Amino acid sequence: MKMLKMITISAMTFLLGSSLAFAELTLHQTIDKHNNVLAEAIMQGDIERLSDSHAYTDDAYVYAPSTPTVHGKENIREFWEGVIQAGAKHVSLEIHDVHNSGELAYAVGTLRFVDTSGQASDSRYLLVFKKDGEQWKLHLDMWTPSVTSK
């Protein structure tokens, strides 16, 4: 009987651990998909897709390097219109870490932006997502240029 309890507890612990890892993997995949949609929209100049109501919360913030704080969906749309007009040849985001607690989640990673002249810039980013119903929406979008080591 004691052995059966130990096996049952071990199995439950394994299953709980497996489902937690699956939940993180699912969140990681969700954020990765979100990043890919935004990158593609920038490269294709698709402002409608980029500023889609599903991407950002109503009261979201964008903190971009050397620019004023951008707050709210309409202002974020105008910000991205400017980025699109500047032209992007390639945009890619790589996730390094994802965590969540309740209704908030964050992702950190790296961003590469190549403009139409071929000039590349590398940045580090922090994204904070907020749960809106069953959907994760971007609430804080922030990046800063990477520092190269010598």
Side-chain angles (χ1 to χ4, degrees):
M1 187 68 143
K2 204 174 204 183
M3 184 65 138
L4 181 59
K5 279 185 182 180
M6 286 178 52
I7 291 171
T8 304
I9 291 170
S10 295
M12 289 175 64
T13 304
F14 173 76
L15 291 173
L16 179 60
S18 297
S19 40
L20 289 175
F22 179 73
E24 284 186 30
L25 179 64
T26 302
L27 179 59
H28 187 282
Q29 290 173 331
T30 299
I31 292 172
D32 194 41
K33 181 179 177 184
H34 185 277
N35 285 348
N36 290 331
V37 166
L38 291 178
E40 288 172 14
I42 292 169
M43 290 185 290
Q44 295 169 358
D46 187 349
I47 190 62
E48 295 308 317
R49 191 170 176 199
L50 187 60
S51 61
D52 185 299
S53 62
H54 300 294
Y56 288 91
T57 62
D58 291 336
D59 57 343
Y61 289 88
V62 172
Y63 292 102
S66 304
T67 64
T69 299
V70 183
H71 181 241
K73 278 188 183 180
E74 200 53 45
N75 293 326
I76 290 171
R77 178 187 174 92
E78 290 173 16
F79 169 81
W80 286 117
E81 283 176 338
V83 170
I84 286 173
Q85 289 170 2
K89 183 177 179 180
H90 182 75
V91 179
S92 63
L93 295 99
E94 181 181 335
I95 298 172
H96 295 186
D97 205 7
V98 173
H99 291 281
N100 78 301
S101 178
E103 301 296 309
L104 294 175
Y106 73 86
V108 294
T110 52
L111 158 70
R112 174 160 266 225
F113 182 90
V114 181
D115 67 20
T116 52
S117 72
Q119 180 69 35
S121 62
D122 295 316
S123 297
R124 298 164 293 168
Y125 70 78
L126 167 65
L127 305 174
V128 176
F129 289 83
K130 190 175 184 182
K131 195 86 177 235
D132 184 8
E134 293 300 311
Q135 192 171 29
W136 288 102
K137 292 187 179 183
L138 195 49
H139 186 63
L140 173 64
D141 189 350
M142 181 176 165
W143 64 97
T144 186
S146 294
V147 178
T148 55
S149 1
K150 295 182 181 185

